[in-house]
Amino acid sequence: MPFRDFVDLNNSRIETALRLEQPDQVPIQVYTAGDYLSRFIGVKPVEYYRDAKIMLAAQMAFRRRFYGLGCLGPDYSVVIEPSAFGASVIWREMEPPFPKPLLSNLEDVEKLEVPDPYSAGLIPALISTYRYMVEKVGERYVDPLTGALGPFDIAVLLRGTSQFLIDIAMKRDLVHKLLEKTTKFCEEFIKAREAISEVEWTTVYLGDDYPAFLSPNDFREFYIPYARSIFDKYKKKGRLCLWHCDGKFSERTLALIPELGIDGFLWPCPDIDLSVYKKSFGKKMALMGNLHSHLLMRSTPAEVDAAVKDQIKKGAPGGGYVFSLGGEVIHGTPPDNIETMIRAVEKYGKYPVSP
Amino acid sequence: MASNEKQLLHDLSESIVNLDADRLRRSVETAISSGISAYDALMNGVAKGMDAIGKMYENGDCFLPELLAAGDLMKTGLQILEPHLKAEKAEMSGRVIIGTVQGDLHDLGKNIVIAVLRSAGFEVYDLGVDVASDRFVEKVREERGDILAMSSLLTTTCPYMRQVIAALTKTGIRKTAKVVIGGLPVTEDFAREIGADAYGKDAFDGLAKIKAFMKTRRIGIQASEARK
């Protein structure tokens, strides 16, 4: 099948699955980022992250090698949103950039301003990279900026992971103040991204890894209201609301996920078996996952083939399922294993699929 | 044990369990002024509370924010007790030097391990994140560390652990310090391959392995003293 036809067909299957329906074949999504892609074309990660031309070249190289799969769009790891608040960015030669925590005292949240969603920090770099990519490959093939870091993870990055979790136990009122500001920014930044996007959005996506570590009560108090305030606005517009969280949930907190009102749960923690997610919410939301990235990196092609078959048997029955890794392709993954994974999805993913 | 002493130790433990920083400071000072040894206040008060939180965390009765907050409080308690412990020449469970390896800025896993180690009475020296091999080596030598614990979240940074072990070996202190490693990309096979002594699949597994090393070490020391 010609390259672009496969991409279009796979994308339409993904849309079907995200609507909780059953396509003719299990679609596949391969999440890629700079850590892997830079090495894929033999450059240092810092060159990838700091040069839109190299970023695009690496993403296109992966797509050319793997049937149009892989991400294509501005990729700045997790630094855009914190940089907008004023966090400085540590650019490292061999790792993705990382923001330096901004709030050494949580009390300083009172002085924190909600940034401008078009011009603050590295947002202009994101916009110009998006426009450059659209100009080079066409808007149809560039990820349309629907994804954003969620309000909780922005707060975590502004404060530092451990410190923010300690704050939740010790300084609850101030944590709410910080989350109010990050949520407000998230809402405005998503609006700005939608305005900039050259393609009409059918989905909206938030990624928040750290709420998984909360108790059920704290998840209800510190996460659901903030995430819902964003999702609810887009639900009203008829968009599919997609959410990513790969932290390892406790059973009791995991049970609260449907309260977020989401339509799809993407790349959940691969340490929890896909059958658990399917049984818990397979009828309420689409699932995208969940082959462990480390398994893909370390296994033989035969083991990869068997693991893909197993995932499909667990996730695919009844539809509402997109095969993917439980995260991004990680450094050191043999290209042969990626090839095997893609072919195995094609081989085992023809509907009907029974458990 | 006198009932007053029992009550004071209970207060210390409860202040950790209830994450009450003011009560902890007051209780530590009262305990010391009442003549309770700093070692007792630590091991039978503060660490007991931390141990209770650790067990609650393991059983799913409390969560990461509480575990980390209790670890942070315990650090505060330790800071107050430290000069008294030195004066008493108290013998702790062992000395652990810990850090996230160079290139890696993640600290969550490391901080969980620190909280769990302190609850078991270990003296922990936290080097933070992005730690170069010479800093690890220097600190192990300076503090005469029993254990060097390294953490990494990234597949790209965990190979650096091999470099740290090589540096330890080169300086000769590898013979006296055991190396325990952990983190998302780390496996038992990887630990063996790079010459680490153990892999901790989580904080509690790491603690069990460190305790086992310390037990063997104490038996060894006793045996050699007996031979003298």
Side-chain angles (χ1 to χ4, degrees):
Chain A
M1 184 186 295
F3 180 94
R4 292 205 165 171
D5 289 351
F6 171 74
V7 173
D8 289 342
L9 185 58
N10 188 56
N11 283 345
S12 82
R13 285 167 175 157
I14 291 176
E15 278 176 38
T16 305
L18 291 179
R19 285 195 304 269
L20 261 186
E21 293 164 12
Q22 182 177 296
D24 60 319
Q25 155 85 38
V26 171
I28 177 169
Q29 189 274 350
V30 182
Y31 181 48
T32 51
D35 203 29
Y36 183 84
L37 292 172
S38 56
R39 290 162 171 105
F40 190 71
I41 60 161
V43 298
K44 289 176 181 168
V46 71
E47 297 173 82
Y48 169 98
Y49 286 108
R50 301 214 75 158
D51 187 331
K53 270 188 201 163
I54 294 175
M55 193 184 285
L56 179 61
Q59 294 176 355
M60 286 300 293
F62 188 92
R63 282 201 167 184
R64 274 194 291 269
R65 169 70 178 80
F66 296 110
Y67 316 99
L69 296 167
C71 300
L72 205 160
D75 172 12
Y76 290 93
S77 188
V78 292
V79 300
I80 295 288
E81 291 86 348
S83 80
F85 276 92
S88 53
V89 173
I90 305 166
W91 295 95
R92 299 171 300 165
E93 208 175 27
M94 300 307 286
E95 313 297 336
F98 205 75
K100 207 171 160 199
L102 177 74
L103 295 169
S104 49
N105 295 308
L106 190 57
E107 286 68 18
D108 291 342
V109 68
E110 308 279 2
K111 291 182 257 168
L112 198 68
E113 285 184 18
V114 176
D116 182 272
Y118 289 92
S119 62
L122 290 170
I123 294 173
L126 174 111
I127 296 171
S128 75
T129 299
Y130 173 71
R131 289 188 174 142
Y132 168 76
M133 290 178 166
V134 166
E135 187 196 317
K136 290 292 173 193
V137 299
E139 74 279 358
R140 205 172 144 206
Y141 295 101
V142 181
D143 300 336
L145 298 175
T146 49
L149 200 58
F152 198 90
D153 279 13
I154 298 175
V156 161
L157 292 166
L158 291 177
R159 185 75 175 118
T161 313
S162 300
Q163 196 52 60
F164 186 68
L165 292 173
I166 292 171
D167 293 337
I168 285 181
M170 307 298 280
K171 296 179 177 178
R172 300 171 77 85
D173 290 347
L174 289 173
V175 167
H176 279 299
K177 283 190 178 161
L178 179 54
L179 287 172
E180 278 158 21
K181 291 188 177 183
T182 56
T183 303
K184 177 86 184 137
F185 171 69
C186 249
E187 286 170 2
E188 291 183 4
F189 190 38
I190 293 171
K191 241 189 269 172
R193 291 163 85 117
E194 190 173 14
I196 291 158
S197 171
E198 301 275 347
V199 177
E200 201 180 327
W201 284 10
T202 53
T203 62
V204 67
Y205 158 88
L206 277 186
D208 266 321
D209 288 335
Y210 293 96
F213 299 122
L214 301 179
S215 67
N217 286 344
D218 283 349
F219 190 75
R220 276 209 169 106
E221 181 178 339
F222 291 101
Y223 193 61
I224 291 177
Y226 297 102
R228 273 213 83 129
S229 80
I230 298 169
F231 284 137
D232 286 353
K233 287 187 182 77
Y234 286 90
K235 276 203 98 87
K236 275 185 202 149
K237 293 182 180 178
R239 309 274 154 75
L240 291 173
C241 294
L242 309 178
W243 183 65
H244 159 69
C245 179
D246 64 12
K248 194 172 179 182
F249 281 94
S250 71
E251 210 175 302
R252 285 186 293 143
T253 311
L254 189 75
L256 303 182
I257 287 174
E259 291 183 24
L260 290 167
I262 53 174
D263 301 293
F265 190 7
L266 319 184
W267 320 297
C269 176
D271 293 332
I272 298 175
D273 196 87
L274 182 60
S275 59
V276 173
Y277 299 115
K278 187 75 177 176
K279 195 177 161 202
S280 307
F281 344 101
K283 291 198 168 87
K284 294 177 187 151
M285 63 187 77
L287 294 170
M288 186 185 282
N290 208 25
L291 187 75
H292 209 302
S293 300
H294 290 251
L295 185 147
L296 187 70
M297 181 186 76
R298 292 191 179 121
S299 305
T300 63
E303 287 164 343
V304 170
D305 183 87
V308 171
K309 186 179 178 185
D310 178 60
Q311 292 291 307
I312 287 176
K313 279 194 165 296
K314 286 170 179 166
Y321 174 65
V322 180
F323 174 88
S324 84
L325 291 171
E328 64 189 65
V329 179
I330 52 175
H331 169 55
T333 303
D336 279 356
N337 282 7
I338 301 172
E339 178 76 33
T340 302
M341 173 181 79
I342 296 167
R343 288 186 179 277
V345 175
E346 189 76 16
K347 185 165 57 171
Y348 301 115
K350 285 188 182 56
Y351 279 104
V353 176
S354 44
Chain B
M1 190 187 293
S3 69
N4 185 40
E5 185 176 336
K6 209 171 164 185
Q7 183 57 44
L8 285 169
L9 293 174
H10 178 71
D11 276 354
L12 283 169
S13 167
E14 283 295 293
S15 60
I16 295 280
V17 172
N18 296 320
L19 305 179
D20 188 337
D22 292 338
R23 186 177 170 193
L24 174 70
R25 280 192 201 92
R26 277 197 313 272
S27 306
V28 172
E29 276 152 20
T30 313
I32 296 296
S33 62
S34 306
I36 293 176
S37 74
Y39 184 78
D40 261 355
L42 178 64
M43 297 308 290
N44 299 317
V46 179
K48 215 169 171 185
M50 190 65 222
D51 187 49
I53 286 268
K55 287 199 171 85
M56 284 160 72
Y57 176 76
E58 256 193 303
N59 296 332
D61 297 325
C62 84
F63 290 79
L64 208 43
E66 293 79 25
L67 180 76
L68 290 169
D72 201 47
L73 272 184
M74 180 156 177
K75 198 169 140 193
T76 309
L78 266 168
Q79 277 162 358
I80 309 173
L81 289 170
E82 209 166 18
H84 305 279
L85 287 166
K86 277 191 180 146
E88 287 171 17
K89 293 189 176 144
E91 191 70 29
M92 303 290 286
S93 306
R95 285 195 190 96
V96 182
I97 316 300
I98 189 167
T100 306
V101 296
Q102 192 169 70
D104 205 323
L105 301 171
H106 298 87
D107 68 356
L108 189 57
K110 168 183 72 65
N111 290 345
I112 299 170
V113 173
I114 291 173
V116 169
L117 285 170
R118 286 196 173 130
S119 75
F122 282 90
E123 220 174 321
V124 183
Y125 296 87
D126 178 14
L127 301 182
V129 297
D130 197 16
V131 182
S133 62
D134 53 352
R135 269 190 71 208
F136 276 119
V137 171
E138 197 187 306
K139 198 69 181 169
V140 172
R141 188 176 9 212
E142 189 185 314
E143 301 299 340
R144 286 180 292 123
D146 301 298
I147 307 287
L148 171 62
M150 290 185 280
S151 159
S152 156
L153 186 84
L154 307 170
T155 47
T156 46
T157 55
C158 67
Y160 190 76
M161 293 173 171
R162 189 195 300 270
Q163 220 165 301
V164 180
I165 294 174
L168 272 183
T169 309
K170 202 173 160 192
T171 51
I173 47 178
R174 178 75 183 90
K175 287 176 200 148
T176 55
K178 295 282 184 189
V179 178
V180 180
I181 63 172
L184 191 65
V186 176
T187 61
E188 193 92 56
D189 287 346
F190 176 73
R192 210 172 301 125
E193 188 193 316
I194 66 167
D197 296 296
Y199 153 70
K201 79 172 166 24
D202 56 35
F204 298 96
D205 184 44
L207 173 64
K209 284 170 180 162
I210 288 173
K211 275 181 167 173
F213 285 138
M214 294 311 297
K215 196 175 168 190
T216 314
R217 172 156 298 178
R218 272 190 287 273
I219 292 167
I221 291 168
Q222 281 162 10
S224 74
E225 276 170 2
R227 275 197 296 274
K228 286 176 197 167

